[in-house]
Amino acid sequence: MQDYLQPRLEDAAIGQLSALALAHIGDGVYELMTRGLLVTGGLRTARSLHDQTIRLVRAAAQYQAAQIILPLLDEEEQAVFRHGRNAKPKTVPKSASQAEYAYATALEALFGWLFLKGRYDRLNGLYHEIAQRWQS
């Protein structure tokens, strides 16, 4: 049976994915990690969990998160990040600037790439750096 919770692709298959395809899966990974952070952070109402999640996963917050982790990326991760940043989505939300959205897409592409490679420790390490800043 295929593992849908922890899918893995061969490097060649990952290399054939577009930056926007990586960002698609990375968006879900990033949001799930954020939801995990908030739920384990204490007892909250469903409304406050939702509001906090929206605040932390919007493009402006992801832009700030990208700035936190950029200095920590190795060369291969930087290349994936650049590939995501240079992607050309068809639309940009009104709540984000073009730069914010480009960096948010890059962050999501990186998280998607790491997820599909099964590099969960690295994902957690990078997300930890982001979460530390949010909590300080």
Side-chain angles (χ1 to χ4, degrees), residues 21-40:
L22 291 173
H24 175 75
I25 190 75
D27 175 52
V29 171
Y30 191 83
E31 183 165 339
L32 184 60
M33 294 178 87
T34 300
R35 287 174 180 241
L37 170 73
L38 294 173
V39 167
T40 59

Side-chain angles (χ1 to χ4, degrees), residues 1 20 24 28 32 36-37 47 54 60 72 75 79 83 86 103-104 107 110 115 125 132:
M1 176 171 60
L20 294 177
H24 175 75
L32 184 60
L37 170 73
R47 179 65 182 190
I54 297 303
L72 308 174
E75 286 183 32
H83 185 53
N86 294 333
Y103 275 75
L107 178 75
L110 175 63
F115 179 72
Q132 290 295 102

Side-chain angles (χ1 to χ4, degrees), residues 5-71:
L5 198 53
Q6 296 181 20
R8 291 214 181 151
L9 295 175
E10 298 293 327
D11 287 344
I14 294 171
Q16 292 180 341
L17 294 173
S18 71
L20 294 177
L22 291 173
H24 175 75
I25 190 75
D27 175 52
V29 171
Y30 191 83
E31 183 165 339
L32 184 60
M33 294 178 87
T34 300
R35 287 174 180 241
L37 170 73
L38 294 173
V39 167
T40 59
L43 190 60
R44 298 172 188 229
T45 66
R47 179 65 182 190
S48 68
L49 286 168
H50 174 75
D51 291 347
Q52 282 291 93
T53 299
I54 297 303
R55 186 177 71 80
L56 296 174
V57 301
R58 69 177 188 241
Q62 288 184 342
Y63 171 84
Q64 292 172 343
Q67 300 305 313
I68 294 166
I69 66 166
L70 265 172

